[in-house]
Amino acid sequence: KRTPEHFAEWARQTRAKGWTAVKWSIPMSGSVKERIAQTIRELEAVRGAVGYSMDLALEASETFTVRSAIELAEAIAPYKPLWIEEPTLRESARGLGDVAAKSPVPIATGEGLFTRYEFGELLERKGAAIIQPDVMHAGGITEIRKIANLAETYGAEVAPHQCSGPIGHVASLNAMSVCRNFLVQEW
């Protein structure tokens, strides 16, 4: 349910279970103005329910242009989200760099990137403050460690993408156990 009341209750229940961060998809339908307004209502409800005791991350699913992604970031900045994930096309390091340069909210991306060379281009263009390599897609434990080490040289943090189940989680956690720039593990 996309009501502020539901989001507030969900946040309280999630925090009571001990979780310290949540991520949800922002609305996908409606005009940009309507989507931003709904996202603000949801953020207000969650912050009202749990304050700043939880980090809040937002999945944008590559549904904004550079201009509208910057508009979204400026509008939600007062709620201090941990990140906006993939506001524009993940394949466009230049577009993400343009958004990140003007966004007051960190940009996260990388679940669809497969090589350290793709991450290298993204980092060189300063397209993300937080990268999200997937151990199952990006070459396994050794390769995401290399990607994380590369990100560290650019001052970027790592929040591995993981939706493949317990083996993928353990592999991600293993790789991140020695990374100084590890931020959070998706579960």
Side-chain angles (χ1 to χ4, degrees), residues 46-113:
V46 172
R47 285 292 183 224
V50 297
Y52 289 87
S53 68
M54 293 180 77
D55 286 317
L56 312 179
L58 299 171
E59 168 66 67
S61 301
E62 306 175 285
T63 58
F64 289 89
T65 64
V66 168
R67 178 200 55 78
S68 61
I70 294 166
E71 184 180 345
L72 168 71
E74 290 171 345
I76 65 172
Y79 303 97
K80 303 288 186 210
L82 182 60
W83 72 61
I84 301 170
E85 186 172 332
E86 299 185 339
T88 60
L89 295 175
R90 67 177 78 139
E91 295 87 1
S92 176
R94 182 184 330 189
L96 287 164
D98 291 345
V99 173
K102 295 182 179 177
S103 175
V105 178
I107 302 301
T109 190
E111 69 186 65
L113 303 180

Side-chain angles (χ1 to χ4, degrees), residues 4 24 39 126:
W24 70 89
T39 302
K126 300 178 182 170

Side-chain angles (χ1 to χ4, degrees), residues 42-181:
E42 293 167 1
L43 284 165
E44 284 176 342
V46 172
R47 285 292 183 224
V50 297
Y52 289 87
S53 68
M54 293 180 77
D55 286 317
L56 312 179
L58 299 171
E59 168 66 67
S61 301
E62 306 175 285
T63 58
F64 289 89
T65 64
V66 168
R67 178 200 55 78
S68 61
I70 294 166
E71 184 180 345
L72 168 71
E74 290 171 345
I76 65 172
Y79 303 97
K80 303 288 186 210
L82 182 60
W83 72 61
I84 301 170
E85 186 172 332
E86 299 185 339
T88 60
L89 295 175
R90 67 177 78 139
E91 295 87 1
S92 176
R94 182 184 330 189
L96 287 164
D98 291 345
V99 173
K102 295 182 179 177
S103 175
V105 178
I107 302 301
T109 190
E111 69 186 65
L113 303 180
F114 300 107
T115 70
R116 72 186 100 140
Y117 307 104
E118 290 173 301
F119 282 97
E121 181 183 1
L122 174 71
L123 293 163
E124 187 64 31
R125 292 185 180 266
K126 300 178 182 170
I130 301 153
I131 63 163
Q132 301 171 295
D134 186 310
V135 71
M136 306 292 280
H137 299 150
I141 293 169
T142 300
E143 190 64 17
I144 71 165
R145 292 237 350 255
K146 290 177 181 179
I147 292 167
N149 290 340
L150 175 65
E152 184 179 10
T153 67
Y154 285 90
E157 295 174 293
V158 183
H161 174 261
Q162 188 46 244
C163 64
S164 300
I167 294 172
H169 286 291
V170 171
S172 286
L173 290 170
N174 178 287
M176 293 299 106
S177 69
V178 294
C179 294
R180 297 184 319 166
N181 55 336

Side-chain angles (χ1 to χ4, degrees), residues 10-23 50 53-55 169 184-187:
W10 166 70
R12 281 190 287 273
Q13 290 175 6
T14 303
R15 187 66 190 111
K17 292 176 184 175
W19 293 97
T20 60
V22 292
K23 179 175 82 171
V50 297
S53 68
M54 293 180 77
D55 286 317
H169 286 291
V184 65
Q185 173 67 40
E186 185 170 24
W187 185 261

